[in-house]
Amino acid sequence: MTVPQEREHESSALDILGFGTPAALEPVAGPAEPAHPFSASREVVERDVASAPLTRRELRDRERSTDEAPRRGASTPRTKARPKPRRMAKKTSRRDAVRIAGAKKTLGKRLLSFGAMLFAGALAFGMTVPANAFNSMSDEVLAESLAMKAQSVEVDPTLVSFSARDAWTVTSWAQMLKLRYGNRSFDYTVGTGPIRWPFPVAIPISSGFGDRAAPCRGCSTNHSGLDFGSGPGAAIFSVGSGVVVERSTGGTSWGNYVIIESTVDGQTFQAGYAHMTADSSALQLGDTIQVGDFIGLTGATGQVSGPHLHLTIRVDGTLVDPFTFLRRYAS
């Protein structure tokens, strides 16, 4: 393998790195006596120093002197300017961008502040100036333009006057029911004849015969009898002499009840006693009783709103008002 010869004018690796080219070695002719270290001539020393490679510090000093020479006015040849490193260029561009952005931001803030001040001034001006400050029309012209034609209203004399209207009253639904169903008088006197009242003394009547307001859910609005508000456990007596024709101990709206058929002075009628206390009556179907005999005790069996006696009178198969019947034959 042959080693290629060095090319002329080709820089070595030492020149590229800045150490310079080493001096060529002279061929040794033959053995010679070593020279004394202090006997070297001045020329040899200068040559060796000139041919020795430069250090990094010397290279930096040489470049610095080269850059400062033009500033001092020296007639040194012009050298090519070294390019700035990329990092320095990037830093410079970033600084410029930040400076430009800051200038733009400051300008935007100034414009915003100016706009806010302008708006506040306009608002204050608008609130202090009256509404008609810019109205070119006079007050008289404005009043004429807004004026309306006079109007007149004729009132019918047949209408009710205000005084009559103020005299009106309002009746509640409860008062209407009371006026319709509760304005009847139930005063009576207990007699001693063949037809008597179911109690030996006068008992208040809580509900009359006929139409009424239902006192409870499921109660009838067309009352078929007369309710005596005696309270629970009051003794009930027969209104006439007769025979038990119907008997029930419960299961119906009347609850525990008994019906007795009587004939007095040729008048036949059936008296019903409903809502009695359970097991308070000893009567059986077909039993015969006399007027004033014990029937049972008042209670609250069946469909009721409270303990009371429900008395019915049926004449020729038709239900009649027990109060009117007893007022006629028992007093």
Side-chain angles (χ1 to χ4, degrees):
M1 182 178 65
T2 59
V3 179
Q5 297 180 0
E6 296 181 358
R7 300 179 180 178
E8 295 182 358
H9 308 290
E10 183 178 2
S11 60
S12 62
L14 294 176
D15 293 335
I16 296 174
L17 295 176
F19 295 101
T21 304
L25 299 178
E26 296 181 357
V28 181
E33 294 181 359
H36 194 272
F38 298 100
S39 63
S41 62
R42 183 176 182 181
E43 290 80 2
V44 174
V45 173
E46 291 178 358
R47 184 187 60 192
D48 294 338
V49 171
S51 62
L54 300 177
T55 62
R56 295 183 179 179
R57 186 173 181 179
E58 293 175 350
L59 290 174
R60 285 197 298 269
D61 295 340
R62 181 180 295 180
E63 292 177 358
R64 188 177 301 171
S65 61
T66 304
D67 295 336
E68 293 178 356
R71 297 177 184 176
R72 298 175 182 176
S75 58
T76 55
R78 225 171 144 182
T79 57
K80 187 176 181 181
R82 296 177 61 187
K84 294 183 179 181
R86 294 184 179 179
R87 295 183 180 178
M88 294 296 293
K90 290 183 179 179
K91 290 182 179 180
T92 304
S93 60
R94 289 178 183 176
R95 291 174 183 174
D96 296 340
V98 170
R99 185 172 59 257
I100 295 172
K104 292 182 178 179
K105 189 173 183 181
T106 303
L107 181 59
K109 287 184 177 179
R110 291 179 180 177
L111 291 176
L112 182 61
S113 302
F114 179 74
M117 293 175 62
L118 185 62
F119 175 77
L123 181 62
F125 178 76
M127 293 178 65
T128 55
V129 175
N132 58 353
F134 301 99
N135 188 9
S136 59
M137 299 176 61
S138 60
D139 295 340
E140 297 179 357
V141 176
L142 182 62
E144 292 179 358
S145 62
L146 297 177
M148 299 178 64
K149 295 182 179 179
Q151 298 180 0
S152 60
V153 179
E154 295 181 359
V155 180
D156 190 355
T158 60
L159 297 177
V160 180
S161 63
F162 290 102
S163 60
R165 184 198 65 178
D166 296 337
W168 291 351
T169 59
V170 178
T171 304
S172 65
W173 177 246
Q175 292 174 345
M176 292 177 63
L177 294 177
K178 186 177 181 180
L179 292 173
R180 183 176 180 182
Y181 304 116
N183 60 348
R184 290 172 288 185
S185 176
F186 294 106
D187 295 334
Y188 63 93
T189 302
V190 178
T192 58
I195 298 177
R196 305 175 184 178
W197 293 85
F199 298 97
V201 294
I203 300 296
I205 296 174
S206 58
S207 182
F209 178 83
D211 296 337
R212 67 168 184 176
C216 64
R217 178 178 295 179
C219 296
S220 62
T221 55
N222 187 8
H223 200 211
S224 62
L226 195 66
D227 290 346
F228 291 86
S230 60
I236 305 170
F237 300 95
S238 176
V239 298
S241 301
V243 180
V244 178
V245 295
E246 190 173 345
R247 181 74 175 92
S248 176
T249 57
T252 63
S253 60
W254 279 12
N256 184 17
Y257 73 93
V258 62
I259 297 177
I260 299 174
E261 184 175 334
S262 304
T263 302
V264 178
D265 297 336
Q267 180 70 44
T268 300
F269 64 92
Q270 292 180 348
Y273 309 84
H275 307 309
M276 293 188 298
T277 303
D279 301 329
S280 64
S281 178
L283 297 178
Q284 299 293 329
L285 188 63
D287 290 349
T288 301
I289 61 172
Q290 298 298 321
V291 60
D293 286 349
F294 177 76
I295 301 295
L297 300 177
T298 57
T301 58
Q303 192 71 33
V304 295
S305 58
H308 67 280
L309 168 64
H310 178 73
L311 177 66
T312 60
I313 300 295
R314 189 184 298 269
V315 178
D316 296 334
T318 303
L319 290 170
V320 298
D321 187 355
F323 184 80
T324 303
F325 181 85
L326 292 177
R327 280 284 300 267
R328 179 178 181 182
Y329 296 103
S331 298

mmCIF file of all heavy atoms in Angstrom, residues 280-322:
data_model
loop_
_atom_site.group_PDB
_atom_site.id
_atom_site.type_symbol
_atom_site.label_atom_id
_atom_site.label_comp_id
_atom_site.label_asym_id
_atom_site.label_seq_id
_atom_site.Cartn_x
_atom_site.Cartn_y
_atom_site.Cartn_z
ATOM 1 N N SER A 280 -128.932 -2.732 71.805
ATOM 2 C CA SER A 280 -129.648 -1.944 72.812
ATOM 3 C C SER A 280 -131.155 -2.178 72.769
ATOM 4 O O SER A 280 -131.878 -1.714 73.667
ATOM 5 C CB SER A 280 -129.364 -0.452 72.623
ATOM 6 O OG SER A 280 -129.864 0.001 71.381
ATOM 7 N N SER A 281 -131.638 -2.863 71.732
ATOM 8 C CA SER A 281 -133.081 -3.129 71.608
ATOM 9 C C SER A 281 -133.326 -4.638 71.668
ATOM 10 O O SER A 281 -132.666 -5.404 70.965
ATOM 11 C CB SER A 281 -133.616 -2.558 70.293
ATOM 12 O OG SER A 281 -134.979 -2.855 70.146
ATOM 13 N N ALA A 282 -134.315 -5.027 72.480
ATOM 14 C CA ALA A 282 -134.672 -6.458 72.635
ATOM 15 C C ALA A 282 -135.830 -6.863 71.751
ATOM 16 O O ALA A 282 -136.297 -8.013 71.815
ATOM 17 C CB ALA A 282 -135.003 -6.749 74.094
ATOM 18 N N LEU A 283 -136.342 -5.972 70.926
ATOM 19 C CA LEU A 283 -137.491 -6.270 70.082
ATOM 20 C C LEU A 283 -137.118 -7.250 68.983
ATOM 21 O O LEU A 283 -136.014 -7.216 68.444
ATOM 22 C CB LEU A 283 -138.039 -4.981 69.471
ATOM 23 C CG LEU A 283 -138.590 -3.937 70.461
ATOM 24 C CD1 LEU A 283 -139.064 -2.695 69.714
ATOM 25 C CD2 LEU A 283 -139.729 -4.511 71.286
ATOM 26 N N GLN A 284 -138.101 -8.104 68.657
ATOM 27 C CA GLN A 284 -137.948 -9.069 67.588
ATOM 28 C C GLN A 284 -139.090 -8.887 66.593
ATOM 29 O O GLN A 284 -140.108 -8.241 66.888
ATOM 30 C CB GLN A 284 -137.973 -10.508 68.143
ATOM 31 C CG GLN A 284 -136.853 -10.815 69.137
ATOM 32 C CD GLN A 284 -135.478 -10.794 68.474
ATOM 33 O OE1 GLN A 284 -135.343 -11.111 67.278
ATOM 34 N NE2 GLN A 284 -134.455 -10.423 69.243
ATOM 35 N N LEU A 285 -138.909 -9.449 65.402
ATOM 36 C CA LEU A 285 -139.914 -9.328 64.361
ATOM 37 C C LEU A 285 -141.223 -9.985 64.836
ATOM 38 O O LEU A 285 -141.233 -11.131 65.268
ATOM 39 C CB LEU A 285 -139.421 -10.004 63.090
ATOM 40 C CG LEU A 285 -140.272 -9.799 61.839
ATOM 41 C CD1 LEU A 285 -140.328 -8.335 61.440
ATOM 42 C CD2 LEU A 285 -139.703 -10.624 60.670
ATOM 43 N N GLY A 286 -142.336 -9.232 64.743
ATOM 44 C CA GLY A 286 -143.667 -9.722 65.158
ATOM 45 C C GLY A 286 -144.051 -9.360 66.572
ATOM 46 O O GLY A 286 -145.193 -9.665 66.983
ATOM 47 N N ASP A 287 -143.162 -8.741 67.349
ATOM 48 C CA ASP A 287 -143.506 -8.357 68.720
ATOM 49 C C ASP A 287 -144.545 -7.235 68.705
ATOM 50 O O ASP A 287 -144.532 -6.368 67.825
ATOM 51 C CB ASP A 287 -142.276 -7.890 69.492
ATOM 52 C CG ASP A 287 -141.311 -9.033 69.792
ATOM 53 O OD1 ASP A 287 -141.702 -10.200 69.592
ATOM 54 O OD2 ASP A 287 -140.155 -8.760 70.178
ATOM 55 N N THR A 288 -145.445 -7.279 69.732
ATOM 56 C CA THR A 288 -146.476 -6.248 69.887
ATOM 57 C C THR A 288 -146.087 -5.353 71.057
ATOM 58 O O THR A 288 -145.747 -5.847 72.146
ATOM 59 C CB THR A 288 -147.853 -6.872 70.151
ATOM 60 O OG1 THR A 288 -148.193 -7.728 69.038
ATOM 61 C CG2 THR A 288 -148.925 -5.816 70.340
ATOM 62 N N ILE A 289 -146.161 -4.024 70.849
ATOM 63 C CA ILE A 289 -145.783 -3.075 71.889
ATOM 64 C C ILE A 289 -146.869 -2.026 72.014
ATOM 65 O O ILE A 289 -147.736 -1.888 71.131
ATOM 66 C CB ILE A 289 -144.422 -2.408 71.589
ATOM 67 C CG1 ILE A 289 -144.488 -1.640 70.277
ATOM 68 C CG2 ILE A 289 -143.302 -3.438 71.562
ATOM 69 C CD1 ILE A 289 -143.247 -0.791 70.019
ATOM 70 N N GLN A 290 -146.806 -1.261 73.147
ATOM 71 C CA GLN A 290 -147.772 -0.205 73.415
ATOM 72 C C GLN A 290 -147.071 1.154 73.298
ATOM 73 O O GLN A 290 -145.842 1.256 73.315
ATOM 74 C CB GLN A 290 -148.364 -0.379 74.807
ATOM 75 C CG GLN A 290 -149.127 -1.694 75.004
ATOM 76 C CD GLN A 290 -150.315 -1.835 74.088
ATOM 77 O OE1 GLN A 290 -151.051 -0.875 73.813
ATOM 78 N NE2 GLN A 290 -150.542 -3.048 73.563
ATOM 79 N N VAL A 291 -147.900 2.194 73.132
ATOM 80 C CA VAL A 291 -147.367 3.536 73.033
ATOM 81 C C VAL A 291 -146.589 3.866 74.301
ATOM 82 O O VAL A 291 -147.002 3.553 75.399
ATOM 83 C CB VAL A 291 -148.482 4.572 72.806
ATOM 84 C CG1 VAL A 291 -149.490 4.576 73.951
ATOM 85 C CG2 VAL A 291 -147.909 5.959 72.552
ATOM 86 N N GLY A 292 -145.433 4.450 74.149
ATOM 87 C CA GLY A 292 -144.573 4.827 75.257
ATOM 88 C C GLY A 292 -143.654 3.728 75.741
ATOM 89 O O GLY A 292 -142.879 3.956 76.691
ATOM 90 N N ASP A 293 -143.663 2.524 75.099
ATOM 91 C CA ASP A 293 -142.774 1.437 75.505
ATOM 92 C C ASP A 293 -141.328 1.734 75.055
ATOM 93 O O ASP A 293 -141.087 2.468 74.072
ATOM 94 C CB ASP A 293 -143.234 0.101 74.925
ATOM 95 C CG ASP A 293 -144.479 -0.444 75.644
ATOM 96 O OD1 ASP A 293 -144.823 0.132 76.702
ATOM 97 O OD2 ASP A 293 -145.074 -1.396 75.126
ATOM 98 N N PHE A 294 -140.393 1.076 75.719
ATOM 99 C CA PHE A 294 -138.972 1.274 75.412
ATOM 100 C C PHE A 294 -138.631 0.589 74.081
ATOM 101 O O PHE A 294 -138.968 -0.579 73.877
ATOM 102 C CB PHE A 294 -138.116 0.708 76.547
ATOM 103 C CG PHE A 294 -136.639 0.798 76.303
ATOM 104 C CD1 PHE A 294 -135.956 1.993 76.432
ATOM 105 C CD2 PHE A 294 -135.921 -0.329 75.922
ATOM 106 C CE1 PHE A 294 -134.587 2.068 76.201
ATOM 107 C CE2 PHE A 294 -134.559 -0.263 75.684
ATOM 108 C CZ PHE A 294 -133.894 0.953 75.828
ATOM 109 N N ILE A 295 -137.943 1.326 73.247
ATOM 110 C CA ILE A 295 -137.525 0.809 71.945
ATOM 111 C C ILE A 295 -136.039 0.470 71.949
ATOM 112 O O ILE A 295 -135.629 -0.616 71.538
ATOM 113 C CB ILE A 295 -137.822 1.814 70.819
ATOM 114 C CG1 ILE A 295 -139.323 2.117 70.766
ATOM 115 C CG2 ILE A 295 -137.324 1.310 69.466
ATOM 116 C CD1 ILE A 295 -140.178 0.934 70.399
ATOM 117 N N GLY A 296 -135.183 1.362 72.381
ATOM 118 C CA GLY A 296 -133.733 1.158 72.386
ATOM 119 C C GLY A 296 -133.017 2.442 72.808
ATOM 120 O O GLY A 296 -133.631 3.383 73.317
ATOM 121 N N LEU A 297 -131.665 2.500 72.521
ATOM 122 C CA LEU A 297 -130.837 3.656 72.880
ATOM 123 C C LEU A 297 -130.283 4.311 71.614
ATOM 124 O O LEU A 297 -129.972 3.630 70.624
ATOM 125 C CB LEU A 297 -129.679 3.224 73.790
ATOM 126 C CG LEU A 297 -130.064 2.566 75.115
ATOM 127 C CD1 LEU A 297 -128.797 2.136 75.865
ATOM 128 C CD2 LEU A 297 -130.896 3.509 75.967
ATOM 129 N N THR A 298 -130.180 5.621 71.660
ATOM 130 C CA THR A 298 -129.619 6.343 70.511
ATOM 131 C C THR A 298 -128.136 5.979 70.346
ATOM 132 O O THR A 298 -127.409 5.783 71.320
ATOM 133 C CB THR A 298 -129.750 7.858 70.690
ATOM 134 O OG1 THR A 298 -129.112 8.244 71.905
ATOM 135 C CG2 THR A 298 -131.218 8.279 70.731
ATOM 136 N N GLY A 299 -127.690 5.900 69.082
ATOM 137 C CA GLY A 299 -126.301 5.555 68.795
ATOM 138 C C GLY A 299 -125.845 6.171 67.485
ATOM 139 O O GLY A 299 -126.438 7.141 66.988
ATOM 140 N N ALA A 300 -124.812 5.568 66.914
ATOM 141 C CA ALA A 300 -124.211 6.106 65.681
ATOM 142 C C ALA A 300 -123.893 4.979 64.720
ATOM 143 O O ALA A 300 -122.873 5.018 64.019
ATOM 144 C CB ALA A 300 -122.961 6.915 65.999
ATOM 145 N N THR A 301 -124.766 3.940 64.642
ATOM 146 C CA THR A 301 -124.554 2.849 63.701
ATOM 147 C C THR A 301 -125.045 3.267 62.318
ATOM 148 O O THR A 301 -125.969 4.070 62.180
ATOM 149 C CB THR A 301 -125.290 1.589 64.170
ATOM 150 O OG1 THR A 301 -126.692 1.888 64.310
ATOM 151 C CG2 THR A 301 -124.750 1.105 65.508
ATOM 152 N N GLY A 302 -124.423 2.710 61.273
ATOM 153 C CA GLY A 302 -124.804 3.045 59.911
ATOM 154 C C GLY A 302 -124.076 4.285 59.415
ATOM 155 O O GLY A 302 -122.999 4.659 59.895
ATOM 156 N N GLN A 303 -124.678 4.976 58.435
ATOM 157 C CA GLN A 303 -124.091 6.164 57.829
ATOM 158 C C GLN A 303 -124.562 7.398 58.581
ATOM 159 O O GLN A 303 -125.668 7.904 58.368
ATOM 160 C CB GLN A 303 -124.505 6.249 56.352
ATOM 161 C CG GLN A 303 -123.740 7.278 55.555
ATOM 162 C CD GLN A 303 -122.305 6.853 55.323
ATOM 163 O OE1 GLN A 303 -122.024 5.655 55.189
ATOM 164 N NE2 GLN A 303 -121.404 7.803 55.283
ATOM 165 N N VAL A 304 -123.710 7.902 59.468
ATOM 166 C CA VAL A 304 -124.093 9.025 60.312
ATOM 167 C C VAL A 304 -122.918 9.978 60.459
ATOM 168 O O VAL A 304 -121.772 9.639 60.148
ATOM 169 C CB VAL A 304 -124.545 8.545 61.716
ATOM 170 C CG1 VAL A 304 -125.800 7.709 61.625
ATOM 171 C CG2 VAL A 304 -123.433 7.762 62.387
ATOM 172 N N SER A 305 -123.221 11.182 60.949
ATOM 173 C CA SER A 305 -122.184 12.148 61.291
ATOM 174 C C SER A 305 -121.989 12.239 62.801
ATOM 175 O O SER A 305 -121.077 12.909 63.270
ATOM 176 C CB SER A 305 -122.551 13.541 60.750
ATOM 177 O OG SER A 305 -123.812 13.953 61.276
ATOM 178 N N GLY A 306 -122.857 11.577 63.590
ATOM 179 C CA GLY A 306 -122.769 11.587 65.039
ATOM 180 C C GLY A 306 -123.956 10.832 65.626
ATOM 181 O O GLY A 306 -124.909 10.473 64.914
ATOM 182 N N PRO A 307 -123.938 10.550 66.919
ATOM 183 C CA PRO A 307 -125.052 9.809 67.546
ATOM 184 C C PRO A 307 -126.332 10.636 67.560
ATOM 185 O O PRO A 307 -126.337 11.787 68.010
ATOM 186 C CB PRO A 307 -124.535 9.530 68.961
ATOM 187 C CG PRO A 307 -123.491 10.561 69.207
ATOM 188 C CD PRO A 307 -122.864 10.865 67.874
ATOM 189 N N HIS A 308 -127.433 10.058 67.099
ATOM 190 C CA HIS A 308 -128.743 10.708 67.090
ATOM 191 C C HIS A 308 -129.802 9.670 66.743
ATOM 192 O O HIS A 308 -129.475 8.523 66.401
ATOM 193 C CB HIS A 308 -128.776 11.852 66.073
ATOM 194 C CG HIS A 308 -128.667 11.380 64.649
ATOM 195 N ND1 HIS A 308 -127.484 11.034 64.054
ATOM 196 C CD2 HIS A 308 -129.646 11.196 63.698
ATOM 197 C CE1 HIS A 308 -127.684 10.661 62.807
ATOM 198 N NE2 HIS A 308 -129.001 10.744 62.571
ATOM 199 N N LEU A 309 -131.054 10.092 66.789
ATOM 200 C CA LEU A 309 -132.184 9.229 66.386
ATOM 201 C C LEU A 309 -132.724 9.737 65.067
ATOM 202 O O LEU A 309 -133.073 10.911 64.927
ATOM 203 C CB LEU A 309 -133.302 9.233 67.443
ATOM 204 C CG LEU A 309 -134.622 8.600 66.989
ATOM 205 C CD1 LEU A 309 -134.453 7.108 66.704
ATOM 206 C CD2 LEU A 309 -135.728 8.847 68.018
ATOM 207 N N HIS A 310 -132.810 8.835 64.112
ATOM 208 C CA HIS A 310 -133.416 9.153 62.816
ATOM 209 C C HIS A 310 -134.810 8.533 62.815
ATOM 210 O O HIS A 310 -134.963 7.314 62.744
ATOM 211 C CB HIS A 310 -132.559 8.573 61.686
ATOM 212 C CG HIS A 310 -133.137 8.802 60.327
ATOM 213 N ND1 HIS A 310 -133.156 10.022 59.699
ATOM 214 C CD2 HIS A 310 -133.765 7.927 59.463
ATOM 215 C CE1 HIS A 310 -133.730 9.918 58.511
ATOM 216 N NE2 HIS A 310 -134.114 8.643 58.346
ATOM 217 N N LEU A 311 -135.875 9.399 62.879
ATOM 218 C CA LEU A 311 -137.276 8.949 62.950
ATOM 219 C C LEU A 311 -137.943 9.190 61.610
ATOM 220 O O LEU A 311 -137.864 10.288 61.048
ATOM 221 C CB LEU A 311 -138.031 9.708 64.048
ATOM 222 C CG LEU A 311 -139.523 9.384 64.189
ATOM 223 C CD1 LEU A 311 -139.732 7.936 64.659
ATOM 224 C CD2 LEU A 311 -140.203 10.372 65.143
ATOM 225 N N THR A 312 -138.605 8.145 61.082
ATOM 226 C CA THR A 312 -139.343 8.262 59.826
ATOM 227 C C THR A 312 -140.816 7.893 60.066
ATOM 228 O O THR A 312 -141.144 7.048 60.904
ATOM 229 C CB THR A 312 -138.754 7.320 58.741
ATOM 230 O OG1 THR A 312 -138.841 5.964 59.199
ATOM 231 C CG2 THR A 312 -137.301 7.677 58.472
ATOM 232 N N ILE A 313 -141.696 8.523 59.274
ATOM 233 C CA ILE A 313 -143.130 8.225 59.297
ATOM 234 C C ILE A 313 -143.561 7.975 57.858
ATOM 235 O O ILE A 313 -143.369 8.828 56.977
ATOM 236 C CB ILE A 313 -143.959 9.378 59.899
ATOM 237 C CG1 ILE A 313 -143.547 9.665 61.348
ATOM 238 C CG2 ILE A 313 -145.458 9.045 59.824
ATOM 239 C CD1 ILE A 313 -143.820 8.542 62.309
ATOM 240 N N ARG A 314 -144.170 6.792 57.648
ATOM 241 C CA ARG A 314 -144.637 6.409 56.318
ATOM 242 C C ARG A 314 -146.152 6.182 56.401
ATOM 243 O O ARG A 314 -146.620 5.338 57.181
ATOM 244 C CB ARG A 314 -143.924 5.143 55.846
ATOM 245 C CG ARG A 314 -144.173 4.788 54.385
ATOM 246 C CD ARG A 314 -143.490 3.447 54.061
ATOM 247 N NE ARG A 314 -142.054 3.524 54.246
ATOM 248 C CZ ARG A 314 -141.194 3.864 53.276
ATOM 249 N NH1 ARG A 314 -141.660 4.168 52.071
ATOM 250 N NH2 ARG A 314 -139.912 3.898 53.540
ATOM 251 N N VAL A 315 -146.912 6.894 55.565
ATOM 252 C CA VAL A 315 -148.371 6.799 55.521
ATOM 253 C C VAL A 315 -148.774 6.293 54.148
ATOM 254 O O VAL A 315 -148.429 6.936 53.130
ATOM 255 C CB VAL A 315 -149.052 8.149 55.822
ATOM 256 C CG1 VAL A 315 -150.588 8.009 55.720
ATOM 257 C CG2 VAL A 315 -148.658 8.644 57.200
ATOM 258 N N ASP A 316 -149.471 5.155 54.132
ATOM 259 C CA ASP A 316 -149.905 4.532 52.877
ATOM 260 C C ASP A 316 -148.710 4.318 51.928
ATOM 261 O O ASP A 316 -148.815 4.559 50.709
ATOM 262 C CB ASP A 316 -150.992 5.367 52.194
ATOM 263 C CG ASP A 316 -152.280 5.442 53.025
ATOM 264 O OD1 ASP A 316 -152.516 4.500 53.812
ATOM 265 O OD2 ASP A 316 -152.995 6.448 52.906
ATOM 266 N N GLY A 317 -147.586 3.946 52.490
ATOM 267 C CA GLY A 317 -146.398 3.653 51.690
ATOM 268 C C GLY A 317 -145.600 4.861 51.255
ATOM 269 O O GLY A 317 -144.624 4.724 50.500
ATOM 270 N N THR A 318 -145.966 6.054 51.709
ATOM 271 C CA THR A 318 -145.273 7.284 51.322
ATOM 272 C C THR A 318 -144.660 7.933 52.555
ATOM 273 O O THR A 318 -145.332 8.056 53.596
ATOM 274 C CB THR A 318 -146.235 8.270 50.646
ATOM 275 O OG1 THR A 318 -146.841 7.611 49.513
ATOM 276 C CG2 THR A 318 -145.503 9.513 50.196
ATOM 277 N N LEU A 319 -143.404 8.364 52.409
ATOM 278 C CA LEU A 319 -142.715 9.047 53.501
ATOM 279 C C LEU A 319 -143.264 10.468 53.636
ATOM 280 O O LEU A 319 -143.387 11.200 52.638
ATOM 281 C CB LEU A 319 -141.207 9.103 53.250
ATOM 282 C CG LEU A 319 -140.461 7.769 53.344
ATOM 283 C CD1 LEU A 319 -139.020 7.915 52.844
ATOM 284 C CD2 LEU A 319 -140.459 7.251 54.781
ATOM 285 N N VAL A 320 -143.597 10.849 54.873
ATOM 286 C CA VAL A 320 -144.111 12.196 55.147
ATOM 287 C C VAL A 320 -143.205 12.855 56.171
ATOM 288 O O VAL A 320 -142.325 12.227 56.762
ATOM 289 C CB VAL A 320 -145.578 12.131 55.660
ATOM 290 C CG1 VAL A 320 -146.488 11.532 54.598
ATOM 291 C CG2 VAL A 320 -145.654 11.337 56.963
ATOM 292 N N ASP A 321 -143.436 14.163 56.390
ATOM 293 C CA ASP A 321 -142.636 14.913 57.345
ATOM 294 C C ASP A 321 -143.038 14.510 58.762
ATOM 295 O O ASP A 321 -144.184 14.749 59.183
ATOM 296 C CB ASP A 321 -142.865 16.400 57.129
ATOM 297 C CG ASP A 321 -141.932 17.260 57.984
ATOM 298 O OD1 ASP A 321 -141.174 16.703 58.803
ATOM 299 O OD2 ASP A 321 -141.961 18.495 57.822
ATOM 300 N N PRO A 322 -142.116 13.860 59.524
ATOM 301 C CA PRO A 322 -142.491 13.439 60.897
ATOM 302 C C PRO A 322 -142.834 14.608 61.808
ATOM 303 O O PRO A 322 -143.686 14.481 62.692
ATOM 304 C CB PRO A 322 -141.235 12.717 61.384
ATOM 305 C CG PRO A 322 -140.528 12.303 60.156
ATOM 306 C CD PRO A 322 -140.780 13.395 59.159
#
